[in-house]
Amino acid sequence: MNAPAKTDNAELIVPEGVYAETVLSVTHYTDRLFRFRMTRPAGFRFRSGEFAMIGLMVGEKPIYRAYSIASPAWDEELEFFSIKVPDGPLTQHLQRIQPGDRVLMRKKPTGTLVLDALTPGKRLYMFSTGTGIAPFASLIRDPETYEKFEEVILTHTCREVAELKYGFDLVEEIRNHEFLNEIVGDKLKHYATVTREDYPFQGRITDLMESGKLYSDLGVPPLDPAVDRGMICGSSAMLKDTKALLEKAGLTEGANNKPAEFVIERAFVG
């Protein structure tokens, strides 16, 4: 049975088995990217790195898409980082949300970009392009990540410099956080690159891996399956190419039911 939920200007019919949460803040980074935070249901549990199906009522029916939860599991609010698609069935509407609006969310989170899907290691690479940084926004703010790994390397590649800002904001938030700053210390390295503008670090992450520049810039040895672990989230081409490089280095793909040296999130590849 559908239950009505009151909003300021209309009555929202909430489908059964779905949360209706209130938008708390919205930050627009570019004409293509935005971040928003909303209330977290009291009974909602997830592992950092997982995604949820979020949506809006469009006309008479709900439209949902998979979105990584960008906030860590301990956060009292939920954060999401989204692209804006002018004619996207959901994002053309989602990009216009404002504080006080309601967003639908299905009750069961899932995903492969979780620490449990990796075997123990020393160094964790998080390879991301565009909004693929979202699950890592969760993981780099989770103390468990730093309990399991001595070094965490977040790579974020975008087309333009302005699209990197969310990643820099995340690192700044960690540095200014009362307890995260102490836990993270100097364990986190943030490696941001662009492909279409002048910038100190330029190029596709796979090219920088192949040339060895990534490792020399970071002052770390090339990938070693004995100590290195990886997580990948981005475009389908990026997933394919990065996976090939990790496998070439001797790393094996894992899953929730079979942990190994690296994992990929394929839920967002259309």
Side-chain angles (χ1 to χ4, degrees):
M1 178 177 173
N2 290 342
K6 292 286 187 182
T7 62
D8 288 342
N9 49 16
E11 190 174 84
L12 173 66
I13 303 300
V14 181
E16 189 175 358
V18 173
Y19 297 115
E21 297 305 310
T22 304
V23 175
L24 300 171
S25 65
V26 184
T27 304
H28 293 275
Y29 283 95
T30 70
D31 60 0
R32 296 182 66 252
L33 298 169
F34 72 106
R35 162 197 208 175
F36 68 95
R37 292 179 71 86
M38 68 184 196
T39 53
R40 176 176 177 171
F44 184 68
R45 300 286 178 267
F46 69 96
R47 294 178 294 174
S48 294
E50 289 188 314
F51 67 86
M53 300 299 293
I54 66 171
L56 296 170
M57 292 297 295
V58 179
E60 300 269 317
K61 67 172 191 174
I63 294 179
Y64 296 96
R65 291 292 182 270
Y67 271 78
S68 289
I69 304 167
S71 45
W74 56 263
D75 203 326
E76 294 179 359
E77 300 172 359
L78 296 177
E79 178 178 312
F80 297 92
F81 185 50
S82 178
I83 194 167
K84 304 176 188 179
V85 181
D87 56 352
L90 176 61
T91 60
Q92 66 171 304
H93 305 286
L94 192 65
Q95 65 183 285
R96 295 198 287 268
I97 59 170
Q98 296 182 14
D101 289 345
R102 305 292 287 280
V103 172
L104 303 177
M105 183 176 70
R106 290 183 181 157
K107 294 190 174 182
K108 185 168 172 51
T110 188
T112 55
L113 296 179
V114 292
L115 297 172
D116 294 344
L118 295 174
T119 51
K122 174 185 174 184
R123 185 182 297 112
L124 174 59
Y125 284 91
M126 301 174 177
F127 299 104
S128 69
T129 55
T131 54
I133 193 175
F136 306 139
S138 175
L139 285 157
I140 65 170
R141 290 183 282 182
D142 192 324
E144 187 183 359
T145 303
Y146 303 95
E147 291 169 11
K148 293 193 169 186
F149 294 94
E150 297 174 24
E151 192 171 11
V152 177
I153 296 172
L154 169 66
T155 82
H156 188 209
T157 301
C158 295
R159 297 181 306 176
E160 300 164 1
V161 176
E163 296 173 338
L164 296 173
K165 188 172 187 325
Y166 178 63
F168 285 106
D169 282 357
L170 292 171
V171 174
E172 185 68 16
E173 285 171 23
I174 290 171
R175 300 286 179 241
N176 293 325
H177 196 277
E178 56 182 336
F179 72 80
L180 275 183
N181 181 44
E182 190 174 326
I183 291 167
V184 175
D186 59 0
K187 286 186 172 186
L188 175 64
K189 292 184 177 179
H190 177 210
Y191 189 79
T193 77
V194 296
T195 57
R196 296 190 184 179
E197 288 186 339
D198 286 335
Y199 193 64
F201 300 96
Q202 284 182 281
R204 297 168 65 225
I205 193 63
T206 46
D207 291 340
L208 295 164
M209 293 166 72
E210 283 192 285
S211 70
K213 189 174 189 304
L214 168 69
Y215 311 110
S216 60
D217 284 345
L218 292 168
V220 297
L223 289 173
D224 178 353
V227 295
D228 290 321
R229 300 294 175 262
M231 293 178 160
I232 314 170
C233 192
S235 67
S236 55
M238 179 267 193
L239 297 185
K240 177 174 171 287
D241 294 346
T242 310
K243 168 184 160 79
L245 289 174
L246 266 59
E247 289 180 337
K248 185 179 177 182
L251 281 72
T252 304
E253 184 176 356
N256 275 291
N257 59 356
K258 190 180 180 183
E261 286 84 49
F262 76 92
V263 285
I264 296 174
E265 186 54 80
R266 294 185 172 86
F268 313 106
V269 178

